[in-house]
Short mmCIF file of all heavy atoms in Angstrom, two decimals:
data_model
loop_
_atom_site.label_atom_id
_atom_site.label_comp_id
_atom_site.label_asym_id
_atom_site.label_seq_id
_atom_site.Cartn_x
_atom_site.Cartn_y
_atom_site.Cartn_z
N ARG A 1 105.76 121.32 101.25
CA ARG A 1 106.98 121.09 100.48
C ARG A 1 108.01 122.19 100.73
O ARG A 1 109.19 121.92 100.96
CB ARG A 1 106.64 121.02 99.00
CG ARG A 1 107.81 120.70 98.10
CD ARG A 1 107.32 120.34 96.71
NE ARG A 1 106.66 121.44 96.05
CZ ARG A 1 105.42 121.41 95.57
NH1 ARG A 1 104.69 120.32 95.71
NH2 ARG A 1 104.91 122.45 94.95
N GLU A 2 107.57 123.45 100.72
CA GLU A 2 108.49 124.56 100.91
C GLU A 2 109.08 124.56 102.33
O GLU A 2 110.25 124.90 102.52
CB GLU A 2 107.78 125.89 100.63
CG GLU A 2 107.47 126.09 99.16
CD GLU A 2 106.75 127.40 98.88
OE1 GLU A 2 106.28 128.05 99.85
OE2 GLU A 2 106.65 127.77 97.70
N ARG A 3 108.26 124.17 103.30
CA ARG A 3 108.77 124.16 104.68
C ARG A 3 109.78 123.05 104.88
O ARG A 3 110.78 123.21 105.60
CB ARG A 3 107.61 124.02 105.67
CG ARG A 3 108.05 124.21 107.12
CD ARG A 3 108.64 125.60 107.33
NE ARG A 3 109.17 125.78 108.67
CZ ARG A 3 110.39 125.45 109.05
NH1 ARG A 3 111.23 124.87 108.18
NH2 ARG A 3 110.81 125.67 110.28
N ILE A 4 109.55 121.90 104.24
CA ILE A 4 110.52 120.80 104.32
C ILE A 4 111.84 121.20 103.66
O ILE A 4 112.92 120.92 104.19
CB ILE A 4 109.94 119.52 103.68
CG1 ILE A 4 108.80 118.97 104.54
CG2 ILE A 4 111.03 118.46 103.51
CD1 ILE A 4 108.08 117.78 103.94
N ILE A 5 111.75 121.86 102.52
CA ILE A 5 112.96 122.32 101.83
C ILE A 5 113.73 123.32 102.69
O ILE A 5 114.96 123.26 102.80
CB ILE A 5 112.61 122.95 100.46
CG1 ILE A 5 112.25 121.84 99.46
CG2 ILE A 5 113.76 123.78 99.92
CD1 ILE A 5 113.41 120.93 99.07
N ALA A 6 113.01 124.26 103.31
CA ALA A 6 113.67 125.26 104.18
C ALA A 6 114.41 124.57 105.31
O ALA A 6 115.55 124.93 105.64
CB ALA A 6 112.64 126.24 104.71
N GLU A 7 113.77 123.57 105.93
CA GLU A 7 114.41 122.85 107.03
C GLU A 7 115.59 122.02 106.53
O GLU A 7 116.63 121.93 107.18
CB GLU A 7 113.41 121.96 107.74
CG GLU A 7 113.92 121.31 109.01
CD GLU A 7 114.11 122.29 110.14
OE1 GLU A 7 113.67 123.45 110.02
OE2 GLU A 7 114.70 121.90 111.18
N ALA A 8 115.43 121.42 105.36
CA ALA A 8 116.50 120.62 104.78
C ALA A 8 117.75 121.47 104.55
O ALA A 8 118.88 121.06 104.86
CB ALA A 8 116.04 119.99 103.46
N LYS A 9 117.57 122.68 104.03
CA LYS A 9 118.71 123.57 103.78
C LYS A 9 119.42 123.93 105.09
O LYS A 9 120.66 123.95 105.14
CB LYS A 9 118.24 124.84 103.08
CG LYS A 9 117.83 124.63 101.62
CD LYS A 9 117.34 125.94 101.01
CE LYS A 9 116.97 125.75 99.55
NZ LYS A 9 116.44 127.01 98.96
N LEU A 10 118.64 124.19 106.13
CA LEU A 10 119.23 124.52 107.42
C LEU A 10 120.02 123.35 107.99
O LEU A 10 121.13 123.51 108.51
CB LEU A 10 118.15 124.95 108.41
CG LEU A 10 117.50 126.31 108.12
CD1 LEU A 10 116.25 126.49 108.97
CD2 LEU A 10 118.48 127.43 108.39
N LEU A 11 119.46 122.15 107.88
CA LEU A 11 120.15 120.97 108.39
C LEU A 11 121.42 120.67 107.59
O LEU A 11 122.45 120.28 108.15
CB LEU A 11 119.20 119.77 108.35
CG LEU A 11 118.03 119.80 109.33
CD1 LEU A 11 117.05 118.68 109.04
CD2 LEU A 11 118.52 119.71 110.77
N LEU A 12 121.34 120.85 106.28
CA LEU A 12 122.49 120.57 105.43
C LEU A 12 123.65 121.53 105.73
O LEU A 12 124.82 121.13 105.75
CB LEU A 12 122.10 120.69 103.95
CG LEU A 12 121.24 119.54 103.41
CD1 LEU A 12 120.62 119.93 102.07
CD2 LEU A 12 122.06 118.27 103.25
N ARG A 13 123.32 122.79 105.99
CA ARG A 13 124.36 123.80 106.16
C ARG A 13 124.86 123.93 107.59
O ARG A 13 126.00 124.32 107.82
CB ARG A 13 123.84 125.17 105.68
CG ARG A 13 123.56 125.22 104.19
CD ARG A 13 122.85 126.50 103.81
NE ARG A 13 122.51 126.51 102.38
CZ ARG A 13 121.75 127.43 101.81
NH1 ARG A 13 121.23 128.40 102.54
NH2 ARG A 13 121.47 127.37 100.51
N ASN A 14 123.99 123.61 108.55
CA ASN A 14 124.32 123.95 109.94
C ASN A 14 124.52 122.76 110.86
O ASN A 14 124.66 122.94 112.07
CB ASN A 14 123.22 124.84 110.53
CG ASN A 14 123.07 126.14 109.75
OD1 ASN A 14 124.05 126.68 109.27
ND2 ASN A 14 121.85 126.63 109.63
N THR A 15 124.52 121.54 110.32
CA THR A 15 124.82 120.36 111.13
C THR A 15 125.85 119.50 110.40
O THR A 15 126.12 119.70 109.22
CB THR A 15 123.55 119.49 111.39
OG1 THR A 15 123.19 118.81 110.17
CG2 THR A 15 122.38 120.34 111.85
N ASP A 16 126.40 118.55 111.14
CA ASP A 16 127.34 117.61 110.52
C ASP A 16 126.66 116.27 110.23
O ASP A 16 127.32 115.26 110.03
CB ASP A 16 128.57 117.41 111.41
CG ASP A 16 128.20 116.91 112.81
OD1 ASP A 16 126.99 116.69 113.09
OD2 ASP A 16 129.12 116.74 113.64
N TRP A 17 125.31 116.25 110.19
CA TRP A 17 124.59 115.02 109.91
C TRP A 17 124.84 114.57 108.48
O TRP A 17 125.06 115.39 107.58
CB TRP A 17 123.09 115.23 110.08
CG TRP A 17 122.67 115.67 111.44
CD1 TRP A 17 123.44 115.92 112.53
CD2 TRP A 17 121.32 115.95 111.85
NE1 TRP A 17 122.69 116.32 113.59
CE2 TRP A 17 121.38 116.35 113.21
CE3 TRP A 17 120.08 115.88 111.22
CZ2 TRP A 17 120.25 116.69 113.93
CZ3 TRP A 17 118.96 116.22 111.93
CH2 TRP A 17 119.03 116.62 113.28
N SER A 18 124.77 113.29 108.28
CA SER A 18 124.87 112.76 106.93
C SER A 18 123.59 113.08 106.17
O SER A 18 122.53 113.34 106.77
CB SER A 18 125.09 111.25 106.96
OG SER A 18 123.91 110.59 107.40
N ILE A 19 123.66 113.04 104.86
CA ILE A 19 122.47 113.29 104.03
C ILE A 19 121.41 112.23 104.31
O ILE A 19 120.20 112.52 104.33
CB ILE A 19 122.86 113.32 102.54
CG1 ILE A 19 123.72 114.57 102.27
CG2 ILE A 19 121.62 113.31 101.65
CD1 ILE A 19 124.31 114.64 100.89
N ALA A 20 121.83 111.00 104.56
CA ALA A 20 120.88 109.93 104.88
C ALA A 20 120.15 110.23 106.18
O ALA A 20 118.92 110.06 106.27
CB ALA A 20 121.61 108.59 104.98
N ASP A 21 120.88 110.70 107.21
CA ASP A 21 120.24 111.03 108.48
C ASP A 21 119.22 112.15 108.31
O ASP A 21 118.13 112.12 108.89
CB ASP A 21 121.30 111.47 109.51
CG ASP A 21 122.14 110.31 110.01
OD1 ASP A 21 121.64 109.16 109.97
OD2 ASP A 21 123.29 110.55 110.42
N ILE A 22 119.56 113.14 107.51
CA ILE A 22 118.64 114.25 107.25
C ILE A 22 117.40 113.74 106.51
O ILE A 22 116.27 114.13 106.83
CB ILE A 22 119.35 115.36 106.45
CG1 ILE A 22 120.43 116.00 107.32
CG2 ILE A 22 118.34 116.41 105.97
CD1 ILE A 22 121.32 116.99 106.58
N ALA A 23 117.61 112.88 105.55
CA ALA A 23 116.49 112.33 104.78
C ALA A 23 115.51 111.60 105.70
O ALA A 23 114.29 111.83 105.62
CB ALA A 23 117.01 111.39 103.70
N TYR A 24 116.02 110.75 106.57
CA TYR A 24 115.15 109.99 107.47
C TYR A 24 114.42 110.92 108.44
O TYR A 24 113.23 110.74 108.71
CB TYR A 24 115.96 108.96 108.24
CG TYR A 24 116.58 107.87 107.38
CD1 TYR A 24 117.90 107.46 107.57
CD2 TYR A 24 115.83 107.27 106.37
CE1 TYR A 24 118.47 106.47 106.78
CE2 TYR A 24 116.39 106.28 105.57
CZ TYR A 24 117.71 105.89 105.77
OH TYR A 24 118.27 104.91 104.98
N SER A 25 115.12 111.93 108.95
CA SER A 25 114.50 112.86 109.89
C SER A 25 113.36 113.64 109.24
O SER A 25 112.39 114.01 109.91
CB SER A 25 115.54 113.84 110.43
OG SER A 25 116.47 113.18 111.25
N LEU A 26 113.47 113.90 107.95
CA LEU A 26 112.44 114.65 107.24
C LEU A 26 111.34 113.76 106.67
O LEU A 26 110.49 114.23 105.90
CB LEU A 26 113.09 115.48 106.12
CG LEU A 26 113.98 116.63 106.60
CD1 LEU A 26 114.68 117.31 105.43
CD2 LEU A 26 113.18 117.65 107.40
N GLY A 27 111.37 112.48 107.05
CA GLY A 27 110.27 111.61 106.70
C GLY A 27 110.41 110.83 105.41
O GLY A 27 109.44 110.21 104.94
N PHE A 28 111.59 110.82 104.81
CA PHE A 28 111.82 110.07 103.57
C PHE A 28 112.27 108.65 103.91
O PHE A 28 113.17 108.46 104.73
CB PHE A 28 112.86 110.77 102.71
CG PHE A 28 112.41 112.09 102.16
CD1 PHE A 28 112.59 113.26 102.91
CD2 PHE A 28 111.77 112.18 100.93
CE1 PHE A 28 112.16 114.48 102.43
CE2 PHE A 28 111.34 113.40 100.44
CZ PHE A 28 111.52 114.56 101.20
N ASP A 29 111.66 107.68 103.28
CA ASP A 29 112.00 106.28 103.55
C ASP A 29 113.39 105.91 103.05
O ASP A 29 114.05 105.04 103.63
CB ASP A 29 110.96 105.36 102.92
CG ASP A 29 109.60 105.50 103.57
OD1 ASP A 29 109.55 105.83 104.78
OD2 ASP A 29 108.58 105.29 102.88
N TYR A 30 113.80 106.55 101.96
CA TYR A 30 115.11 106.25 101.38
C TYR A 30 115.82 107.56 101.02
O TYR A 30 115.18 108.50 100.53
CB TYR A 30 114.96 105.39 100.11
CG TYR A 30 114.27 104.08 100.36
CD1 TYR A 30 112.91 103.93 100.05
CD2 TYR A 30 114.95 102.99 100.90
CE1 TYR A 30 112.25 102.73 100.28
CE2 TYR A 30 114.31 101.79 101.13
CZ TYR A 30 112.96 101.66 100.83
OH TYR A 30 112.32 100.47 101.06
N PRO A 31 117.14 107.62 101.23
CA PRO A 31 117.89 108.83 100.87
C PRO A 31 117.73 109.22 99.40
O PRO A 31 117.72 110.41 99.07
CB PRO A 31 119.34 108.45 101.18
CG PRO A 31 119.23 107.43 102.27
CD PRO A 31 117.98 106.64 101.93
N ALA A 32 117.58 108.24 98.53
CA ALA A 32 117.43 108.54 97.10
C ALA A 32 116.16 109.35 96.84
O ALA A 32 116.14 110.24 95.98
CB ALA A 32 117.40 107.24 96.29
N TYR A 33 115.08 109.05 97.60
CA TYR A 33 113.84 109.82 97.45
C TYR A 33 114.08 111.28 97.84
O TYR A 33 113.60 112.21 97.19
CB TYR A 33 112.73 109.24 98.32
CG TYR A 33 112.22 107.89 97.90
CD1 TYR A 33 111.31 107.20 98.69
CD2 TYR A 33 112.66 107.28 96.72
CE1 TYR A 33 110.83 105.95 98.32
CE2 TYR A 33 112.19 106.04 96.35
CZ TYR A 33 111.28 105.37 97.15
OH TYR A 33 110.80 104.14 96.77
N PHE A 34 114.82 111.48 98.92
CA PHE A 34 115.13 112.83 99.37
C PHE A 34 116.00 113.54 98.34
O PHE A 34 115.77 114.73 98.04
CB PHE A 34 115.87 112.77 100.72
CG PHE A 34 116.41 114.10 101.17
CD1 PHE A 34 115.56 115.17 101.44
CD2 PHE A 34 117.78 114.28 101.33
CE1 PHE A 34 116.06 116.39 101.87
CE2 PHE A 34 118.29 115.50 101.76
CZ PHE A 34 117.42 116.56 102.02
N ASN A 35 117.00 112.87 97.81
CA ASN A 35 117.86 113.48 96.79
C ASN A 35 117.05 113.96 95.60
O ASN A 35 117.23 115.08 95.11
CB ASN A 35 118.92 112.47 96.32
CG ASN A 35 120.01 112.24 97.34
OD1 ASN A 35 120.24 113.08 98.21
ND2 ASN A 35 120.67 111.10 97.26
N ASN A 36 116.14 113.11 95.12
CA ASN A 36 115.32 113.47 93.96
C ASN A 36 114.39 114.63 94.28
O ASN A 36 114.22 115.56 93.48
CB ASN A 36 114.51 112.27 93.49
CG ASN A 36 115.37 111.16 92.92
OD1 ASN A 36 116.50 111.41 92.48
ND2 ASN A 36 114.88 109.94 92.93
N PHE A 37 113.78 114.60 95.47
CA PHE A 37 112.87 115.66 95.90
C PHE A 37 113.61 116.98 96.01
O PHE A 37 113.15 118.01 95.50
CB PHE A 37 112.27 115.27 97.26
CG PHE A 37 111.50 116.37 97.95
CD1 PHE A 37 110.18 116.63 97.60
CD2 PHE A 37 112.09 117.12 98.96
CE1 PHE A 37 109.47 117.64 98.24
CE2 PHE A 37 111.39 118.12 99.60
CZ PHE A 37 110.07 118.39 99.23
N PHE A 38 114.76 116.98 96.65
CA PHE A 38 115.53 118.20 96.88
C PHE A 38 116.01 118.79 95.55
O PHE A 38 115.89 120.01 95.33
CB PHE A 38 116.72 117.90 97.78
CG PHE A 38 117.41 119.14 98.29
CD1 PHE A 38 117.01 119.73 99.47
CD2 PHE A 38 118.47 119.70 97.58
CE1 PHE A 38 117.63 120.88 99.94
CE2 PHE A 38 119.11 120.85 98.04
CZ PHE A 38 118.68 121.44 99.23
N LYS A 39 116.49 117.95 94.67
CA LYS A 39 116.99 118.44 93.38
C LYS A 39 115.85 119.01 92.54
O LYS A 39 116.02 120.05 91.86
CB LYS A 39 117.71 117.33 92.63
CG LYS A 39 118.39 117.83 91.35
CD LYS A 39 119.26 116.76 90.72
CE LYS A 39 119.99 117.33 89.50
NZ LYS A 39 120.85 116.30 88.86
N LYS A 40 114.69 118.38 92.58
CA LYS A 40 113.55 118.87 91.81
C LYS A 40 113.10 120.24 92.30
O LYS A 40 112.72 121.11 91.51
CB LYS A 40 112.39 117.88 91.92
CG LYS A 40 111.17 118.27 91.10
CD LYS A 40 110.09 117.21 91.18
CE LYS A 40 108.87 117.62 90.36
NZ LYS A 40 107.80 116.59 90.44
N GLN A 41 113.16 120.47 93.61
CA GLN A 41 112.68 121.72 94.18
C GLN A 41 113.71 122.84 94.12
O GLN A 41 113.33 124.02 94.04
CB GLN A 41 112.26 121.50 95.65
CG GLN A 41 111.17 120.47 95.85
CD GLN A 41 109.92 120.79 95.05
OE1 GLN A 41 109.49 121.93 94.98
NE2 GLN A 41 109.33 119.76 94.46
N THR A 42 114.99 122.52 94.18
CA THR A 42 116.02 123.55 94.28
C THR A 42 116.95 123.64 93.08
O THR A 42 117.66 124.63 92.93
CB THR A 42 116.89 123.32 95.53
OG1 THR A 42 117.66 122.12 95.36
CG2 THR A 42 116.03 123.20 96.78
N GLY A 43 116.97 122.58 92.27
CA GLY A 43 117.89 122.58 91.13
C GLY A 43 119.30 122.15 91.48
O GLY A 43 120.19 122.18 90.63
N MET A 44 119.53 121.76 92.75
CA MET A 44 120.84 121.26 93.15
C MET A 44 120.68 120.03 94.02
O MET A 44 119.60 119.77 94.55
CB MET A 44 121.62 122.34 93.91
CG MET A 44 121.01 122.74 95.24
SD MET A 44 122.05 123.95 96.15
CE MET A 44 121.81 125.40 95.14
N THR A 45 121.74 119.28 94.14
CA THR A 45 121.71 118.09 94.99
C THR A 45 121.90 118.49 96.45
O THR A 45 122.46 119.55 96.74
CB THR A 45 122.80 117.10 94.60
OG1 THR A 45 124.08 117.70 94.87
CG2 THR A 45 122.70 116.72 93.12
N PRO A 46 121.45 117.64 97.37
CA PRO A 46 121.72 117.93 98.79
C PRO A 46 123.21 118.11 99.09
O PRO A 46 123.60 118.96 99.88
CB PRO A 46 121.13 116.72 99.52
CG PRO A 46 120.07 116.22 98.60
CD PRO A 46 120.60 116.45 97.22
N ARG A 47 124.04 117.30 98.43
CA ARG A 47 125.48 117.40 98.67
C ARG A 47 126.01 118.76 98.25
O ARG A 47 126.83 119.37 98.95
CB ARG A 47 126.21 116.28 97.93
CG ARG A 47 127.69 116.18 98.28
CD ARG A 47 128.30 114.91 97.68
NE ARG A 47 127.64 113.73 98.16
CZ ARG A 47 127.85 113.15 99.33
NH1 ARG A 47 128.73 113.69 100.17
NH2 ARG A 47 127.19 112.06 99.67
#
């Protein structure tokens, strides 16, 4: 979980990919699942 979050933060800050593209690349079937996962772990939304 922590390694996925670390990679998610890097992708969010250092690429121009959409949040949906990042979600799929990190193995989430739906962007909403990624949004909920990220917010639960970090206290903020991917956006």
